[in-house]
Amino acid sequence: MSLLEVKNIDVRYGDFLALHDISLNVEEGSIVSLIGANGAGKSTIMNTICGLNKPVKGEILFDGKNISGLKPSRISKYGLSMAPEGSHCFERMTVKDNLLMGAYLAKGSERMERLKSVYKLFPVLEEKQNQMSTYLSGGQRQMLAIGRGIMTQPRILLCDEISLGLAPVVINDIYEKLKEISAQGITLLIVEQDVNRSLKNSDYAYVILEGRVVMEGKSKELNVEDVNDAYFGMN
Ligand code: ATP
């Protein structure tokens, strides 16, 4: 069953048409990746799904409900959460407070339960819970951004460019954690620039080029060379 359906959306920045007729389908429980080079439109897609950009055409359905044009706060209440690009966190807050911000609407005991489950997933965040987040390494900040995303107990988590600037061993570790998150029943939509890594870690993939979907398919059925050609617009 589709949890998220993006149907024929166009998004503009002023006169510039950044997304052209984009359609995506994310099945409940799956891991879907968006692959594309810098400037292809991946972040614009993610930001539009979570309500930061408004499409000028098309619609976005979450669990069958039309969410296009709604405010991000409203969309997040439906169960959609985003770990943003560049692992943004509140620098002058402790790791623990950053995480608790992700569940500010939940009751005290419920927040603590969720915090415990994030610490179980990322023990390093528990070790560093009283440190200011500004002192975390790049990988730890990414874990914090993901942890804060799951503090809302979303049905779907959007992860924008989780690998940005991280060492391969750290990236592998984060992908292992994403598999655990997926096994908990959370659907994942992940932006990734690396074709091999993307196909290896997802069930379904979309290749984005200049604001259009130029290829899609089950990750294990897509050919890496074909995807690379599509990625660079060589088809
Ligand atoms: P990256 O990997 O560099 O983040 P991306 O695939 O996420 O790239 P987007 O950031 O979505 O790409 O950008 C898509 C296009 O829209 C690019 O041409 C970019 O220059 C343009 N763009 C993005 N944000 C804005 C904005 N706020 N105003 C104007 N143009 C923008």
Side-chain angles (χ1 to χ4, degrees):
M1 197 197 98
S2 279
L3 180 60
L4 177 70
E5 278 177 274
V6 174
K7 291 179 152 180
N8 310 100
I9 61 165
D10 280 4
V11 172
R12 289 185 171 280
Y13 295 113
D15 288 342
F16 176 61
L17 187 59
L19 300 185
H20 308 251
D21 204 35
I22 292 271
S23 293
L24 311 169
N25 186 26
V26 181
E27 296 281 313
E28 180 139 42
S30 66
I31 304 180
V32 173
S33 66
L34 302 184
I35 314 173
N38 278 335
K42 307 175 301 299
S43 297
T44 302
I45 295 174
M46 299 297 245
N47 290 339
T48 307
I49 293 169
C50 68
L52 294 168
N53 296 326
K54 288 196 191 345
V56 291
K57 184 190 110 202
E59 58 181 16
I60 302 172
L61 304 179
F62 184 67
D63 203 14
K65 289 182 278 289
N66 190 352
I67 59 164
S68 33
L70 297 182
K71 286 193 186 139
S73 55
R74 183 87 189 280
I75 293 174
S76 86
K77 281 188 197 136
Y78 282 124
L80 192 146
S81 181
M82 173 140 106
E85 181 175 1
S87 51
H88 290 295
C89 43
F90 303 104
E91 304 279 344
R92 290 171 181 278
M93 272 187 179
T94 62
V95 167
K96 182 178 174 182
D97 286 343
N98 259 284
L99 289 171
L100 290 173
M101 282 289 289
Y104 68 99
L105 288 176
K107 286 199 193 108
S109 57
E110 173 64 27
R111 287 170 97 198
M112 290 306 150
E113 277 308 307
R114 293 187 196 176
L115 189 63
K116 264 205 269 178
S117 68
V118 171
Y119 285 160
K120 199 166 162 219
L121 191 65
F122 298 114
V124 69
L125 296 183
E126 184 167 23
E127 283 162 32
K128 309 239 169 199
Q129 61 177 322
N130 296 317
Q131 287 190 14
M132 293 293 164
S133 60
T134 190
Y135 297 116
L136 297 181
S137 70
Q140 291 162 354
R141 288 164 74 90
Q142 191 58 67
M143 291 173 197
L144 179 58
I146 294 170
R148 199 177 52 204
I150 58 179
M151 283 293 286
T152 66
Q153 286 202 323
R155 292 180 67 191
I156 185 166
L157 178 67
L158 276 48
C159 299
D160 198 357
E161 299 266 352
I162 39 181
S163 313
L164 209 67
L166 302 181
V169 58
V170 179
I171 298 171
N172 289 343
D173 193 25
I174 290 175
Y175 270 103
E176 284 310 309
K177 302 296 182 182
L178 289 178
K179 284 189 183 146
E180 286 180 46
I181 291 170
S182 169
Q184 289 171 15
I186 298 176
T187 305
L188 293 169
L189 179 61
I190 302 172
V191 161
E192 174 62 64
Q193 288 202 22
D194 185 293
V195 171
N196 284 304
R197 191 180 299 126
S198 178
L199 297 181
K200 187 170 154 246
N201 290 292
S202 61
D203 302 306
Y204 200 91
Y206 291 88
V207 184
I208 313 296
L209 176 77
E210 294 171 355
R212 293 184 166 83
V213 173
V214 288
M215 183 178 276
E216 66 175 280
K218 289 186 180 160
S219 305
K220 59 175 185 252
E221 291 173 4
L222 288 172
N223 175 286
V224 178
E225 278 168 22
D226 292 347
V227 173
N228 269 317
D229 286 350
Y231 184 107
F232 291 112
M234 290 162 69
N235 281 344

